[in-house]
């Protein structure tokens, strides 16, 4: 449920670090809470995002949630496939359901994020 | 009269179950300091028979039987008998918004069909389930254009209905948009002025026919708008769209209008409905309800309200609009109307309105008492200048059973001496000839 | 309860898919003036391609819409306890009145001397709503509740601006309808939300903390969307006024307090009234309604124009208030709806109007008592015209959600209550019976709810699939969003 090689934030995004690039998506817990995802609104390549700020929106049939960036950086790739198949977020939250790749401005921000164990405890506490 | 089917004995049973001795106990939660300590100062209730007589007398005190040439956004068109029959079905008119699609397929399919008809008329990809009226749909189009283009300023033609422009100004007070008015020359927009104002505009908003009945060169205005990166919003009269070009074909991005002419009574100006249609790529910025077709768990065709995340009950302060209703029953009437007249009937009705309006205009000018305001092409409505006191003329003709057009001075001094005449398919040549005769005899 | 609707063997075709190209219903009249060449008259504005509309004969139209009616549920079909929507019976005398030619056939630009009956009716309605609300200045122009909210908030903004006082924020409680924050945004204000206290009312400490001279208004529904009357109302409006802000009442729940307490007397400065809730005008499948705005003398001059006034000689005229915000709609408002509401109020009279509130509140409390064992009560207090249950117990113990129970009610021929609102109650079920339901109907509803509560315990899986007997079953709403099919298009 919570892959060990990822980091998590309190808004239920996950981060996978690959050199100076971070891949960002939402956790399996988050997709389950949302229900069937029908639309994902993502920014464009080249946009800057800041840690803690909204970078887009994700919608189920009857809810809208903002997506918050766990890290600061420049967007280098966006998962355009989610436009035609937003349900991929439900089906493969940690894989094909990824959302952004950003070039990190400050790799130290990653250290502020939760580990899989910490995130699991965080969810248990919230529920 | 009362509409409460609970007997005194049953009321006692209910009080007992609730654990209260009197109904007043249930209201004790309301502090005495604010409670109303006297009966409401309203007239006493009435039996249905007495009430019917009183209401009928009130209705009858409005002058009836007048031959009307009034328009200006509300028109005396024929309403087929089947229309009122359908909208009188209690399953339609006593229903709420179809939020439970399993038991609301009637409303939902009717809306879907209505949306389809509006798309066909306007040449647009998608239409919403209707709005309050033409004026508010027009405002919503301006607000939507600002969201789509991320620009702030909209340019509205001075040839648009003054009341619609007034509503736009009222909404713009919020600061969400800035409204700039483009001058018009007696019913048609000044293209040169428009070109200058279009830069950085979110939208150019025009009406065709315009308030004074003139047909605008929509295609040229569209080019002008698009060259500036602005959207083109066109307000249309739907009953003329059987004969007038679909605004979508002419380059409109959003088409709105007042739907009353389609099967709805004038009813002193409301309720009619606003129709709202746009190009598919803007759909997520569209205000209002939308019905869509889908399937149920057994694979059966069914309809739902869709793309609801745009709306206030989900997105709250970030919604595309605060609108929470559509004029479903009026839109239903329009759907039945359009099904009744069909392609051929709508074309014939549009043609009849235009032919009769041309007949009346020529005849009025021929009396020598009226002169042309504009030589622009027009449809069912036209403005003329009266050579004399408009008020006195209208009063004299009222005495003879005619509503002799709208005295345009009510919309400002620039219109002094001008009268707006509308002619529907219901007006006969005999009525118009009699009217001309009375004008001549003034 | 209602007769169950028939399940369909095959889907009803669209109206575009029936009839033949020769089918005709209503033709244009014979042309009795010279024809025109549309290409000449309209030039490039002439239609290039015929509009594809349905081609049907009258019997096909009659049967099509009769069928659609048969798969639609209205108040006349059965019990409709939709919280906050006041789905009461729509008296037919009101419908009849609105269709009288003297009302339905008049034009908004007719000379006022020819429409004295209509203006007199509007004036009478203004007076009645002013008396009922305790806020004597009334605009009948707004077309709906949300439109009324916007109108009133604009008047409030104009009042502040006139005082040279540009304020920025509007406070709403966490129980507010979604229209409230959306309206605030459309008015150019930002929203400050305040929480409820443990009795379901406004938390006074939080309110005090949120109040300062930047606040333009508080928007409040009282009784609120939990169906509870906020006993601190006088204190609340006093606190709001103390910082120079105004108090706005969302009139959605007026049915509960008719003749008992008036928003003006609670300290509200402005409110809207949903004629389609409290005053029995039909909801029409989503509209039209009407949302008149009532304000106190201080705000009267800011109301949108025109309003109806009675001159010294007894004639009625239209006028625009001195510092009006302007127009919010073309013409005079949804007059046809106003006729229905006026007729309703005249039928009931002062006594009848008050009885409405009494029975609405009694019926709601009766249902609350009957259902309290089987479901959790969000707030265990005397309620007003509605109350909120929570399906949290059913969810936690049996994995059955409120949505499932609501859908199961459809199999009982009942329109479900409002669900998942207000937002602060988990698995909320909001029930408003209205005054026009008999004890027999209320008891049948209780039986249905109790039967479902038993099913939750005995066969929770079955509920996930409900309903079973409706014309269609649960619809694929996700597909409807992802592959939008919003209009029929002819094959190219």
């Amino acid at each position: 449920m919570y892959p060990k090689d990822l980091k998590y934030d309190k808004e239920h995004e996950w981060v996978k670090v690959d050199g100076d690039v971070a891949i960002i998506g939402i956790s399996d817990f988050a997709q389950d809470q949302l229900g069937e995802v029908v639309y994902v609104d993502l920014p464009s390549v080249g946009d800057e995002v800041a840690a803690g700020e909204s970078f887009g929106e994700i919608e189920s049939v009857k809810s809208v949630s903002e997506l918050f960036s766990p890290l600061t950086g420049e967007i280098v790739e966006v998962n355009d496939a989610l436009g035609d198949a937003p349900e991929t977020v439900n089906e493969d939250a940690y894989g094909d359901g990824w959302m952004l790749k950003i070039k990190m401005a400050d790799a130290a921000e990653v250290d502020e994020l939760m580990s899989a164990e910490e995130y699991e405890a965080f969810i248990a506490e919230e529920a | 009269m009362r509409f409460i089917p609970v007997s005194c004995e049953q009321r006692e049973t209910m009080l007992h179950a609730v654990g209260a001795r009197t109904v007043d106990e249930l209201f004790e939660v309301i502090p005495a300091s604010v409670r109303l300590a006297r009966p409401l100062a309203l007239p006493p209730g009435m039996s249905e028979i007495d009430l019917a007589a009183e209401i009928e007398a009130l209705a009858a005190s409005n002058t009836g039987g007048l031959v009307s040439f009034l328009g200006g956004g509300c028109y005396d068109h024929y309403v087929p008998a089947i229309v009122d029959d359908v909208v009188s079905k209690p399953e339609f008119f006593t229903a709420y918004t179809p939020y439970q699609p399993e038991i609301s397929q009637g409303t939902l399919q009717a809306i879907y069909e209505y949306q389809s008809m509006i798309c066909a008329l306007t040449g647009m990809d998608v239409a919403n389930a209707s709005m309050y009226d033409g004026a508010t749909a027009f405002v919503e189009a301006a607000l939507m254009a600002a969201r789509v283009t991320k620009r702030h300023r909209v340019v509205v033609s001075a040839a648009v209905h003054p009341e619609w422009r007034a509503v736009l100004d009222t909404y713009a007070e919020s600061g969400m948009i800035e409204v700039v008015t483009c001058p018009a020359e007696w019913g048609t927009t000044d293209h040169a002025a428009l070109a200058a104002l279009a830069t950085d505009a979110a939208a150019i908003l025009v009406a065709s026919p315009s308030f004074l009945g003139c047909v605008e060169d929509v295609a040229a205005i569209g080019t002008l708008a698009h060259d500036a990166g602005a959207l083109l919003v066109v307000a249309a009269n739907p009953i003329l769209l059987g004969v007038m070009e679909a605004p979508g074909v002419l380059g409109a991005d959003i088409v709105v209008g007042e739907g009353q002419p389609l099967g709805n009574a004038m009813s002193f100006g409301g309720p009619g409905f606003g129709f709202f249609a746009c190009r598919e790529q803007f759909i997520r910025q569209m205000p209002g309800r939308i019905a869509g077709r889908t399937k149920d768990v057994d694979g059966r065709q069914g309809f739902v309200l869709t793309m609801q995340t745009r709306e206030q009950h989900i997105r709250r302060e970030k919604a595309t609009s605060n609108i929470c209703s559509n004029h479903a029953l009026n839109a239903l009437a329009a759907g039945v109307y359009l099904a009744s007249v069909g392609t051929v009937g709508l074309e014939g009705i549009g043609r009849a309105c235009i032919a009769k309006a041309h007949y009346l205009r020529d005849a009025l000018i021929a009396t020598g008492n009226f002169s042309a305001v504009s030589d622009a092409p027009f449809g069912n409505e036209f403005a003329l200048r009266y050579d004399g006191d408009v008020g006195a003329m209208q009063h004299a003709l009222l005495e003879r059973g005619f509503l002799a057009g709208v005295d345009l001075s009510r919309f400002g001094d620039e219109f002094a001496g001008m009268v707006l005449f509308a002619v529907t398919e219901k007006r006969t040549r005999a009525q118009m000839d009699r009217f001309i005769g009375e004008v001549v005899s003034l | 309860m209602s007769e169950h609707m028939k399940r369909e063997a095959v889907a009803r075709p669209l109206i575009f898919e029936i009839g033949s190209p020769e089918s005709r219903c209503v033709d244009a009249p014979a042309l009795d003036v010279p024809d025109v060449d549309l290409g000449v008259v309209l030039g490039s504005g002439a239609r290039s391609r015929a509009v594809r509309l349905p081609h049907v004969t009258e019997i096909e139209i009659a049967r099509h819409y009769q069928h659609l009616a048969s798969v639609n549920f209205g108040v006349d079909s059965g019990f409709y306890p939709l919280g906050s929507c006041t789905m009461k019976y729509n008296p037919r005398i009101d419908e009849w009145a609105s269709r009288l030619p003297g009302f339905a056939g008049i034009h908004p630009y007719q000379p006022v001397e020819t429409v004295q009956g209509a203006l007199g009716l509007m004036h009478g309605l203004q007076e009645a709503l002013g008396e009922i609300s305790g806020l004597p200045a009334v605009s009948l122009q707004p077309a709906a509740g949300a439109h009324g909210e916007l109108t009133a908030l604009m008047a409030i903004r104009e009042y502040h601006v006139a005082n040279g006082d540009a304020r920025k924020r509007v406070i709403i409680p966490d129980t507010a309808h979604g229209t409230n924050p959306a309206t605030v945004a459309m008015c150019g204000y930002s929203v400050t939300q305040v929480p409820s206290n443990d009795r379901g009312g406004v938390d006074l400490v939080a309110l005090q903390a949120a109040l300062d001279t930047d606040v333009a208004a508080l928007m409040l529904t009282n009784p609120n969307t939990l169906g509870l009357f906020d006993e601190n109302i006088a204190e609340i409006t006093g606190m709001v006024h103390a910082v120079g802000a105004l108090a706005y009442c969302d009139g959605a729940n007026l049915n509960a307090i008719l003749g008992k307490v008036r928003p003006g007397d609670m300290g509200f400065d402005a409110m809207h009234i949903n004629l389609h809730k409290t005053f029995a005008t039909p909801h029409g499948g989503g509209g039209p309604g009407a949302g008149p705005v009532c304000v106190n003398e201080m705000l009267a001059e800011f109301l949108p124009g025109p309003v109806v006034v009675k001159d010294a000689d007894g004639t009625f005229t239209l006028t625009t208030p001195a510092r009006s915000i302007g127009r919010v709609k073309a013409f005079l408002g949804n007059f046809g709806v106003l006729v229905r509401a006026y007729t309703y109020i005249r039928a009931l009279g002062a006594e009848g109007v008050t009885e409405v509130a009494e029975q609405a509140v009694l019926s709601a409390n009766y249902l609350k008592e009957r259902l309290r064992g089987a479901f959790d009560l969000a707030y265990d207090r005397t309620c007003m015209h509605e109350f909120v249950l929570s399906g949290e117990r059913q969810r936690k113990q049996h994995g059955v959600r409120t949505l499932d129970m609501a859908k199961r009610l459809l199999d009982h021929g009942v329109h479900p209550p409002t669900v998942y609102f207000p937002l602060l109650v988990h698995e909320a079920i909001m029930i408003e019976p209205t005054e026009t339901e008999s004890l027999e109907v209320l008891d049948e509803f209780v039986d249905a709810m109790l039967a479902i509560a038993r099913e939750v315990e005995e066969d929770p899986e079955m509920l996930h699939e409900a309903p079973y007997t409706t014309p269609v079953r649960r619809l694929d709403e996700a597909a409807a969003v992802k592959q939008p099919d919003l209009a029929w298009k002819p094959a190219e």
Side-chain angles (χ1 to χ4, degrees), chain C residues 14-31:
Chain C
L14 297 172
I15 196 156
F16 293 93
E17 297 165 341
I18 53 180
S20 74
E22 301 94 74
S23 301
R24 302 278 279 275
C25 176
V26 173
D27 290 323
L31 201 57

Side-chain angles (χ1 to χ4, degrees), chain C residues 113 189 388 445 470:
Chain C
E113 65 266 29
Y189 287 124
V388 180
F445 173 67
T470 46

